[in-house]
Structures are given as structure tokens and as C-alpha cells.
Amino acid sequence: MKKVYLYKGYERFWHWSQSVLVFILIVTGFEIHSSYSLIGFENAVRIHNITAWTFLVLTVFTIFWDFTTDEWKQYIPTSKNLKAQISFYLSGIFKNAPHPAGKTISSKLNPLQRLVYLGIKVFVFPVMFLTGFLYYFFHYPVQGIELSSLEVIAVLHTRGAFAVVAFIIVHLYLITTGRTVTSNLKAMVTGWEEIEEHETKHIEEEIMAETKTLIRNAGEKSGRRKLRKAKEAVAEIV
Amino acid sequence: MKKLVIFFLAIFLPLFVITLLADQEEEEEADQKKQEIKLVNYIRKANRNTREIVDHSKFEVLKGHFENAHKVTEACLGCHTERHIEIMESPHWKWERNEVIEGKGVITLGKKNTLNNFCIGISGSEATCTRCHIGYGWKDKSFDFNEPTNIDCLVCHDQTGTYEKEKGAAGYPKENVNLNYVAKNVGSPGRENCGVCHFWGGGGNNVKHGDLEKAMIDCSREIDVHMATEGEDMSCIECHRTENHNITGKLYALSSENKNRVTCEQCHTEKPHGDDILDDHICRVACQTCHIPYYAKANATKMIWDWSTAGKLDGDGHPKHENDADGNHKYMSIKGTFIWDDHVVPEYYWFNGLADHQLIDEKIESIPVQMNSLDGKYMDKGLCRKTSTPSKIWPVKVHRGKQIWDPVNKTLVQPKLWDKEEGQGTYWNDFDWGLAAEKGMDYLELPYSGEYDFVETEMYWPLNHQVAPKEQSLKCNDCHTRHNGRLESLGDFYLPGRDHKAGVEIFGIFLIAASIIGVMIHTVCRIISGKKCKLNNYTKN
């Protein structure tokens, strides 16, 4: 058993601040939806809006960070081990089978996670931001542009919110399916994940390769070029 | 990269905190600002110049004895030359104005010719109705609208409170009015001057409007925040600004065009709240909607008037008169049955400033008859909008009634109601609907089949007065709520907090339930699978 530093500082900051922001958005959002009454409609609207802006800033910067650090590659979907991962959750887990996809620094996410997180990043969040944006700015005419009705926007935004709640429930549960019940949670808090001996070999190789490249590229302009490319990518998204 | 992250954190974290704090500060600032309401084009009470510019008692021409009221007008016009021209062009004089009604063209509309569901109409009964006309002698069709000395200057400009018009005297003052005294004490119209007609229209205090009544001569902030004696103490013409006797503002009981209106924005601006979201509401919600949560706050207003029960006399053959527990008319032989209410919650409708009217010679298409109807709907907005602004949600007093009509010709009927003497076929003297209808329609030279019945009617009175103090205005969840909200019956649009699609809710609940059940089943399986399970592995460790 070896400890590996898997989740970087920013990554953990992003994950936990995102979780807080999403929690606030869900609680206030469903109050605005009149699902319950907690802090009052007016307060709910106010907090929901501030939180949404904060979340937007965080998300945009994180996508930027993903590109500058090459972390975006973590989300490239793969079919390799996808079936194996599904069958692990459906049966393997009950037989104490090992996780089919071992964690490495360049591949922290299992194939299912890659798929779901990518979906959230490129589909659910953008839809929520877009509908929220329209909800906020175009409910009344602004410079001649206006929605014929809030209904379509509201329905999409609400559906998205329900999907996020469902995701959170499953996500929270799957935390407990690590090597031990709390090992995933600990890793996301401290950054350090305990990994089986035989898996660490991949990681050592990885680190070696990374270091070699770094040494080779030292003094070259590629570092800066990478950054510029990432910026362009972010600009396109924004 | 690390530097970048630190840089970002250094900016992002404080930004979040600052935004939260700033918002709070903004609220505090807004609170402070609210103490000092943002106003334009308005002079505060403290800064108002109340000094009289002219002392009319010093004028020689007003010192002599006036034989009659016409002579007073003559004296007024002796100095205020040409003012009669302004008066004689005004709706207050003509009791009609030319207005465009969609689909009907230019219509001459006014008290002179348009029916309502209170006292119905003036035709044939002018001499009593014109007690509220700014003239002398309009007793029938023969009245000369071009005679300047027929103008009654005093009813609006009297400052003594002693000027009063006689009942049934076609607008002439009472015998005991000292015209000299009144003529020497004239000035800008005050609430009492406007109120004598606008508070008492329909035959009693607050019968018609619901938001205009005698209590507003001297009232608290709770009744009317603008007119509160202890507050800004505003008179009617403070808002209903007047130039050359053209008084701004009008009511849709008798008009149909979106013009010459008085607005809240003229003083309060279009962004009065210090809050973007509240200010945005102005686009689709009239200020009145939130700021007039109830009307008839001091005295009750008439909600229902049923003419069909009129005519029951007492044992001696005399007209009856019964009051309800609050002292309001409940039954009158001459008028029928009434229902009154106070602290009334308005009804809410989309309104774009255009109104239609059931004209007296028009066929009735549907029942209840819409005596007037306010135009507007949710989709009346953006490029589709009919007027300069989109339809807004307005608070409205709806007066419902039952009144005489001609079921054969399918028109409303103007009955002749009043005469000085019995035996003239007027309803209020002789209690014969058939005869009164015949006389009234004959007077107007309109067809009448000889058959009459009673038909349900509705009349819409947008509310504008009795604005509540800000603490009492509606709150978000008075409308943004699932059940029993103020806008529950306004169903042609999606209102956040009120509306939800059943399909979406079912989808959502199913999704959440499925997730929870899935997680539970999985947990149970892990526990059941015993030693092999990771869960147990962990507990062993």
C-alpha cells in the first residue's frame, strides 16, 4: 500500500467550492420553484443569483485551468474498461473484485466517471448557465430581444436541477465504493490516495516520463505555447 | 501554473466575499435611500410655496351683489378672459370626448351618452345628474354648451367649503349659498372641490371607484400614503397636473385611449426600488399592483348592484330603504339590492391602456355584458405590442350588476329615472320599468321593442389611489406562490414560483426516487454479500 498525491490543491479547492455552490443553488433554486419555503422567496432569489455568478466564474476558470494543465484529458471519454466498470458496480463489487480501471495520475477517473463528468461539464452546466442567463436577463424585453415565454426556459432549468440532484445522490453514494468506505473522501480532502502496490508501478513510470519530458523541454518555448493554446480554447468557449 | 492558481484564488475568494458583503451593503444603502425616496418633478410639502398670489376679496368687481350664479361667472370671465374657451373644450364641460376604439373608429364617449352599471345613464334625468356638471342649467337636450356664463367656476374653485349645488336643480347652487362670499374666496381646487363629485359619484360615498372617497379629505398614511394629512398631504392636482384647464388623468370607465394619463413614474421614475429585479417588474406589472394591496380601506364600496329587485314598496305604497349591518344601503325600492365590501382584494388583469365600451346602440354579443373591457394579455409585448408599452398586470375593481335591457333588440336600455314630479313615467317616481324604458329610449330616439328584462353586467375600474405605505405593499410570495396567490387566475403565462409543469415534476421526482432506491438496493446487496463486500472489509480493518 502506497500513498500517492493524486488531487492537486486547486483541484480540491475547485471540487469543494463547487459542491458548496451547487448545494446553495439547489436549495435556493427549489425554493424559487416553490417546492418548499425556507428563507423566503426574495432572499432565495438574491442568493441564487449571486451564487450563480460565482459559480460561473469558478467554472470558467476551472475549464481554463483544465486546459493549461492538460487536466482536460482526464475527461476524454473511453470505451476501454467501460463495460468492465459497469459490471464491477453491478456484480464485482459484491465479490470484492478489484476496481477494473486502476487510478493513475494521468487517468484519475474511471471510464464511467469520464463519461458522466464530461456530460455535466459540456452539457448540464452549460444548459443551466444558458437558461439561467436567459431567465435573468430576457424575461423582460432588453433592447428589443425577449422570450415569448419563460416556460421553455423554466422547464429546462428545472429539469437540469432535478438531474443535478439525482447526480449528487448517486455521487455521494459512490464515494463509499473506494478501496475502503472513506478512502475516496479522504483523497478528495487531502489529495493523497492510498493505492495498491502493483498499481503504483504505473504511476512511477508516469512520473518518470513526465520528468524526462520536462527536462528535455526546459528552455523551449513550448510551455508558453501550451498556455496560449489553452487561452484560445477558453476564449472560444466563453 | 501554481502562480496562476494562487493569483486566481487571490482574486476569486475575496471577490466572492466582497460580492456577498457588497450586496448586503447595497441593501443597507438601498434602505437608507428608501428613507429618502427618489423623486423627480415634485416639490416636497416642506418646500411648497403656499402663499396666495392673488387676494380676490380686493377686486371691486367681486364686491357687488350677485343676482344669480351666471353673474359670478361673468365677473370671473371679466378678468380671466378666454378661460371659458379652455373650459368649454374640456370633458368636464362636455361630458364627452372623442376617443378611438379599436374596430369602432372615433367614438364620442362620455357621461353624456355612455351607460354604466350603477345609475345607468343621465339621459332623460339630466337635471339630477348634472348636479355634478361644472355648469348651470343642463336640464335636458336644450342646454346651451356654447354660453360662457353657463360655466360654474365656483364648484371647483371655492375655498370656503360653503358652496353647494342643489339637488335636482340642473347644477344651480342652493338658495342659501352666499355667492359674494364664495366669489371673494376662490383659489386652486382642493380635495373637497374634486371630491364632491369624484368621491360621491353613483349616488353615495365611494359607490363607484372604491379608491376615492370622503375619508381621503383627511386621512392617515395607511389609507393613502400620498394624501396623508400628516405626510405629504398632496391634493388631487399635485398628480393630476393641469394646464389651461386640461386636467391630466382619466378613468377607463369612460375612455379608451392610452393618452393624457397620470403615472407614478412622473415623480417616482422608472427605477424607484434600488433593486434591479424589482425595477424590472415595472415592465409587466403596474406599480399599482403591488402598492395598492387593498382598496376601500376606510369606507365600503359597492361591489354588486342588482336593479332587478327594485320596485318593492312598503304596506303604504311608499318606497323602502334598508341598510346592512355596517349602515350601507342594502335595499332601495328605487334602485334594487346592493352588496358592499371594504378592504377589498383587487382582481388582476392584463391592461395596455386601451379599453372598449358597450355602446347604447350596440348589439350585445355575450353575457355578462362587458360595460367596458380592458384590453391586454401576456403576449401583448415586444414586437407584438399594441401600444408604446407592453400590457401590464393591473389591480381592478370589478363592479357587477344586473340591469334593464331589451332582449329582443339585444341592446342596453336607458330608462328614464328621475323627474321632479310623479306621473311622468320615471322609474323613481312611478316604479314602472316598461314605461320608464319607453320614455328613456324615446328621449334618445333609439329603438325599443317594448320588452324588457334584466341582464348581468360587469364594469372594470382600474385602481390608482389609496396607495399603501411601502411596508404594506405586496411581497414576492403574494404572487410567486403555488396556491392562493394574487395572480392565481391570471393563467396565460408562466410565473416562477406559481407554475410548474406536472410532467417535469414527475420526471424529477422519478429521477430522485430512482437514484435513492438504486443506492439503497446497492447498499443492501453490499451488506448481504457479507465478507466478500468491501464494506465489511473496511469494518474489519
Side-chain angles (χ1 to χ4, degrees):
Chain A
M1 202 60 54
K2 239 182 177 181
K3 276 196 165 186
V4 174
Y5 190 59
L6 211 54
Y7 303 111
K8 296 172 190 168
Y10 177 75
E11 217 170 355
R12 284 176 285 135
F13 163 77
W14 158 64
H15 174 268
W16 289 111
S17 50
Q18 171 170 271
S19 66
V20 170
L21 294 172
V22 168
F23 177 77
I24 296 173
L25 285 169
I26 290 290
V27 170
T28 53
F30 278 100
E31 169 140 27
I32 295 166
H33 192 54
S34 286
S35 299
Y36 45 77
S37 187
L38 211 63
I39 54 171
F41 191 89
E42 196 173 353
N43 290 328
V45 169
R46 192 156 286 142
I47 294 171
H48 195 81
N49 289 337
I50 297 169
T51 314
W53 281 113
T54 314
F55 185 39
L56 180 65
V57 172
L58 179 71
T59 305
V60 169
F61 186 82
T62 304
I63 291 169
F64 173 66
W65 180 85
D66 279 338
F67 281 103
T68 54
T69 56
D70 270 358
E71 287 288 327
W72 65 276
K73 289 177 181 162
Q74 302 278 359
Y75 300 100
I76 298 172
T78 171
S79 56
K80 193 183 158 196
N81 283 336
L82 185 61
K83 275 187 187 164
Q85 188 66 37
I86 294 170
S87 75
F88 169 76
Y89 284 133
L90 290 180
S91 67
I93 188 170
F94 306 121
K95 297 169 193 157
N96 205 8
H99 280 269
K103 280 183 189 174
T104 65
I105 290 173
S106 64
S107 178
K108 302 169 197 171
L109 307 177
N110 71 45
L112 258 182
Q113 281 177 307
R114 279 172 182 255
L115 211 57
V116 172
Y117 296 174
L118 182 71
I120 288 175
K121 262 188 190 267
V122 304
F123 183 68
V124 179
F125 284 171
V127 165
M128 294 306 270
F129 281 128
L130 189 69
T131 52
F133 191 73
L134 290 170
Y135 215 129
Y136 188 81
F137 283 107
F138 293 98
H139 51 166
Y140 296 130
V142 176
Q143 292 157 359
I145 309 164
E146 66 183 321
L147 304 165
S148 68
S149 166
L150 262 186
E151 185 162 341
V152 181
I153 299 305
V155 161
L156 279 172
H157 205 71
T158 314
R159 275 179 193 269
F162 278 122
V164 170
V165 173
F167 166 78
I168 290 171
I169 293 168
V170 176
H171 184 68
L172 286 176
Y173 172 70
L174 290 180
I175 287 175
T176 67
T177 62
R179 203 184 55 79
T180 68
V181 170
T182 55
S183 65
N184 279 347
L185 181 65
K186 275 183 190 161
M188 198 35 98
V189 172
T190 63
W192 292 91
E193 171 112 27
E194 283 185 336
I195 288 182
E196 304 280 347
E197 292 284 348
H198 66 271
E199 283 179 15
T200 56
K201 230 169 106 186
H202 299 289
I203 291 170
E204 276 160 15
E205 279 167 14
E206 240 178 22
I207 293 171
M208 285 297 287
E210 182 91 347
T211 319
K212 273 180 192 163
T213 334
L214 277 174
I215 292 165
R216 206 178 324 124
N217 293 349
E220 279 184 21
K221 284 181 180 175
S222 66
R224 261 177 279 164
R225 202 175 61 233
K226 261 188 189 173
L227 197 65
R228 203 179 60 238
K229 265 190 179 176
K231 273 182 182 165
E232 279 165 13
V234 171
E236 250 173 56
I237 291 163
V238 175
Chain B
M1 189 59 225
K2 211 167 191 182
K3 267 185 194 166
L4 206 65
V5 170
I6 291 167
F7 178 70
F8 171 71
L9 289 185
I11 291 180
F12 177 82
L13 274 178
L15 207 69
F16 184 53
V17 175
I18 286 167
T19 321
L20 277 173
L21 289 177
D23 198 64
Q24 232 161 17
E25 263 170 44
E26 243 173 56
E27 256 173 65
E28 278 163 25
E29 251 174 63
D31 277 350
Q32 271 176 0
K33 268 184 199 162
K34 273 175 198 164
Q35 300 299 318
E36 193 66 45
I37 290 175
K38 183 166 84 179
L39 289 172
V40 295
N41 306 319
Y42 176 74
I43 301 166
R44 288 241 174 217
K45 185 185 182 182
N47 306 326
R48 254 178 250 156
N49 182 2
T50 50
R51 196 158 37 87
E52 281 293 334
I53 308 162
V54 181
D55 181 357
H56 280 85
S57 68
K58 289 179 179 164
F59 288 115
E60 283 303 316
V61 69
L62 299 179
K63 283 179 181 169
H65 173 70
F66 293 112
E67 276 171 50
N68 58 44
H70 295 287
K71 297 283 180 196
V72 181
T73 307
E74 220 173 274
C76 297
L77 295 175
C79 296
H80 299 280
T81 66
E82 320 310 315
R83 285 296 197 182
H84 61 282
I85 298 169
E86 297 168 9
I87 287 293
M88 285 154 81
E89 281 170 353
S90 75
H92 271 107
W93 174 254
K94 300 202 299 197
W95 276 17
E96 63 180 25
R97 45 164 101 83
N98 288 337
E99 296 251 326
V100 175
I101 298 183
E102 199 192 357
K104 296 180 186 174
V106 180
I107 300 284
T108 307
L109 213 58
K111 295 186 77 64
K112 201 177 187 177
N113 63 358
T114 312
L115 301 194
N116 60 51
N117 63 0
F118 294 88
C119 291
I120 301 175
I122 71 162
S123 300
S125 314
E126 285 93 335
T128 187
C129 303
T130 57
R131 194 184 177 201
C132 266
H133 183 242
I134 56 162
Y136 303 125
W138 184 358
K139 62 179 197 306
D140 54 31
K141 282 188 261 187
S142 67
F143 180 65
D144 186 356
F145 283 94
N146 296 315
E147 175 50 52
T149 60
N150 280 348
I151 295 170
D152 180 352
C153 307
L154 299 180
V155 69
C156 299
H157 293 284
D158 166 42
Q159 303 291 299
T160 69
T162 63
Y163 185 84
E164 212 179 326
K165 284 176 178 254
E166 182 64 80
K167 269 188 180 178
Y172 281 102
K174 286 185 170 171
E175 289 286 335
N176 61 4
V177 171
N178 183 337
L179 293 173
N180 263 69
Y181 174 59
V182 176
K184 280 190 254 179
N185 294 284
V186 287
S188 280
R191 300 175 194 183
E192 292 86 347
N193 299 96
C194 307
V196 70
C197 289
H198 292 284
F199 294 165
W200 296 84
N205 180 51
N206 208 16
V207 165
K208 277 185 170 173
H209 291 265
D211 62 343
L212 282 179
E213 60 132 326
K214 65 178 181 186
M216 290 153 84
I217 286 173
D218 181 8
C219 70
S220 63
R221 277 183 86 235
E222 277 63 39
I223 302 294
D224 189 302
V225 81
H226 295 107
M227 298 174 82
T229 324
E230 297 294 315
E232 279 297 301
D233 200 13
M234 291 166 71
S235 68
C236 307
I237 54 171
E238 219 92 47
C239 294
H240 294 271
R241 287 173 187 161
T242 304
E243 257 178 72
N244 303 331
H245 284 106
N246 173 31
I247 302 171
T248 55
K250 56 177 190 170
L251 198 77
Y252 285 91
L254 288 169
S255 57
S256 63
E257 277 184 70
N258 188 13
K259 63 178 185 192
N260 204 36
R261 295 171 73 178
V262 173
T263 64
C264 308
E265 289 93 332
Q266 67 191 27
C267 292
H268 289 288
T269 78
E270 285 178 345
K271 294 191 178 301
H273 297 100
D275 178 299
D276 286 347
I277 294 178
L278 286 181
D279 283 343
D280 276 353
H281 278 70
I282 289 175
C283 189
R284 299 312 303 272
V285 183
C287 310
Q288 289 86 334
T289 298
C290 299
H291 293 280
I292 309 176
Y294 300 95
Y295 63 97
K297 287 189 283 189
N299 294 297
T301 186
K302 207 170 271 187
M303 301 304 293
I304 295 175
W305 182 327
D306 181 2
W307 281 93
S308 70
T309 61
K312 291 176 206 153
L313 307 177
D314 67 13
D316 304 327
H318 296 299
K320 284 196 287 190
H321 183 155
E322 291 163 16
N323 282 357
D324 65 16
D326 297 323
N328 298 309
H329 298 327
K330 189 167 113 190
Y331 180 79
M332 289 169 86
S333 301
I334 59 166
K335 292 178 175 177
T337 313
F338 311 119
I339 291 174
W340 298 70
D341 201 2
D342 55 50
H343 294 86
V344 191
V345 173
E347 293 179 35
Y348 298 93
Y349 295 95
W350 290 107
F351 182 41
N352 58 15
L354 306 176
D356 193 5
H357 296 269
Q358 176 71 39
L359 305 174
I360 188 166
D361 53 356
E362 236 177 1
K363 270 222 151 46
I364 288 167
E365 307 279 351
S366 65
I367 295 170
V369 182
Q370 305 294 294
M371 302 302 285
N372 68 332
S373 50
L374 308 177
D375 190 20
K377 56 182 178 182
Y378 172 74
M379 281 308 290
D380 175 36
K381 61 174 192 155
L383 297 172
C384 316
R385 69 176 189 261
K386 275 189 180 171
T387 62
S388 56
T389 50
S391 286
K392 296 186 184 191
I393 296 168
W394 275 77
V396 179
K397 173 192 169 178
V398 183
H399 182 255
R400 297 184 164 84
K402 223 175 175 185
Q403 74 192 64
I404 187 166
W405 76 312
D406 181 338
V408 178
N409 289 340
K410 294 204 181 303
T411 61
L412 292 168
V413 164
Q414 167 72 66
K416 191 171 165 64
L417 292 173
W418 181 91
D419 199 280
K420 262 194 178 125
E421 296 151 18
E422 284 181 23
Q424 301 295 316
T426 60
Y427 189 78
W428 286 353
N429 293 315
D430 305 328
F431 298 100
D432 182 342
W433 277 118
L435 197 58
E438 206 180 298
K439 290 265 182 191
M441 294 303 268
D442 189 45
Y443 181 84
L444 286 171
E445 295 166 16
L446 287 170
Y448 171 56
S449 71
E451 270 181 54
Y452 70 86
D453 199 354
F454 294 88
V455 67
E456 286 173 0
T457 58
E458 287 176 349
M459 198 172 181
Y460 297 82
W461 295 68
L463 297 165
N464 289 290
H465 307 95
Q466 296 199 350
V467 172
K470 62 173 190 292
E471 320 81 73
Q472 291 168 22
S473 52
L474 293 187
K475 301 287 174 287
C476 303
N477 54 7
D478 282 312
C479 299
H480 295 283
T481 182
R482 287 258 168 109
H483 307 292
N484 301 322
R486 293 263 181 157
L487 300 182
E488 199 166 31
S489 58
L490 210 59
D492 63 341
F493 71 109
Y494 186 96
L495 177 63
R498 179 191 70 175
D499 295 325
H500 56 281
K501 298 287 275 182
V504 178
E505 301 300 292
I506 292 167
F507 156 83
I509 290 163
F510 172 78
L511 206 61
I512 291 172
S515 309
I516 293 173
I517 291 167
V519 162
M520 278 162 62
I521 291 172
H522 207 266
T523 311
V524 170
C525 289
R526 274 167 76 186
I527 293 167
I528 290 172
S529 59
K531 284 176 190 170
K532 288 176 196 163
C533 182
K534 286 167 186 294
L535 195 73
N536 293 356
N537 261 4
Y538 175 70
T539 41
K540 248 191 257 172
N541 291 349

